[in-house]
Amino acid sequence: MFLPAAGNRNGTFVDDVGDYGYYWSSTAYYDLDDFVWSVSFNDDHVNPGYANVRFYGQSVRLVCE
């Protein structure tokens, strides 16, 4: 599996390309409708419990059949 460090998008601004990867999950962050769980990583660490606001553009989560 290859997960590129595609960074994220906030409006028209793109940040962290080549340095960080952010991938959405399908799980809401507790009762906050604007936040969802995601995974973030760079070359030093992986953060599987990362919550972010939905309007940030992140890569789509992997789907397994």
Side-chain angles (χ1 to χ4, degrees):
M1 171 175 36
F2 174 70
L3 298 174
N8 66 11
R9 177 191 49 80
N10 183 358
T12 59
F13 181 73
V14 178
D15 194 24
D16 295 330
V17 175
D19 294 324
Y20 284 87
Y22 302 94
Y23 285 81
W24 292 120
S25 78
S26 61
T27 307
Y29 180 72
Y30 299 106
D31 291 332
L32 300 175
D33 291 335
D34 293 340
F35 285 79
V36 292
W37 287 107
S38 63
V39 172
S40 69
F41 64 88
N42 68 8
D43 60 351
D44 290 334
H45 75 279
V46 174
N47 184 357
Y50 181 76
N52 212 338
V53 288
R54 290 177 186 246
F55 64 80
Y56 283 152
Q58 295 183 169
S59 299
V60 178
R61 70 186 186 279
L62 297 174
V63 176
C64 181
E65 293 186 20

